[in-house]
Amino acid sequence: MHTQSVDSPPRTPLRGPALRWAGALALCSALLLALVAVRWHPLITFDGDIAETTHRWAVAESGLTRAFRILTDWVWDPWTMRILCAVVVLWLLRRHAARWTAFWLALTTTLATLLQQALKAAVDRSRPVWTDPVDSAQYSAFPSGHAMTATVVCGVLLYLLHHYGVGRALWRTALSVAVVSVVGVGLTRVWLGVHWASDVIGGWLMGAAVVALAVALHRRRAPGRPADATD
């Protein structure tokens, strides 16, 4: 019986729906980035109107605002997401001996972080400024690091759950948690007045593009079966 090496899984051409999604999402991300960079007036007006409205709500609803700060600063913080990925990487190495998938997961999250920071430095967009702020944040605004990190981490972990064929109940629970986390972290960043709406949309789009490209690369190594399984 032939045993397939976990370090040398079969390769197929890099194509398929995941790669097409990656291209479409990257194109949308590039378009939004260009509009932000040139300060397109309709977009700036859209951002300003949403920011002013949500800031009034945040000041008025202090209890809800405190809850959102806990969620965004602890539960959905980028470092919380990265620690979760690190735990999964170790679990893959210890339980599945899935060296390729563990490396793929670590590389995806690392490159997503580097891309996010590079874009922030390149665009250098200012955050909203308030006379009565309810929260504060560092670095440039576009794209939202919270939104992009949550999208990448939740996206790749959902893919791995599907890839390894988890049960329906666990899949539905994970999907619900992921959707609430990705949408919730974006909304809280706008509510707390530390991001423009387009920052969050940009984070979602770029994060989804990274996930789609990562999935395409992972499937290239082992189409239709766990990449680290043995025969």
Side-chain angles (χ1 to χ4, degrees), residues 106-183:
L107 182 64
T108 297
T109 53
T110 300
L111 291 180
T113 300
L114 294 176
L115 174 62
Q116 165 204 308
Q117 294 301 322
L119 288 171
K120 282 181 176 290
V123 178
D124 195 25
R125 188 185 199 187
S126 299
R127 294 179 184 269
V129 177
W130 311 104
T131 57
D132 53 347
V134 298
D135 200 359
S136 62
Q138 297 178 329
Y139 309 114
S140 301
F142 186 91
S144 166
H146 281 68
M148 184 171 175
T149 302
T151 303
V152 171
V153 171
C154 291
V156 293
L157 293 184
L158 279 177
Y159 165 71
L160 287 179
L161 288 175
H162 175 74
H163 184 69
Y164 283 106
V166 299
R168 183 174 299 178
L170 176 57
W171 167 253
R172 288 178 175 175
T173 301
L175 180 61
S176 299
V177 171
V179 170
V180 169
S181 297
V182 171
V183 174

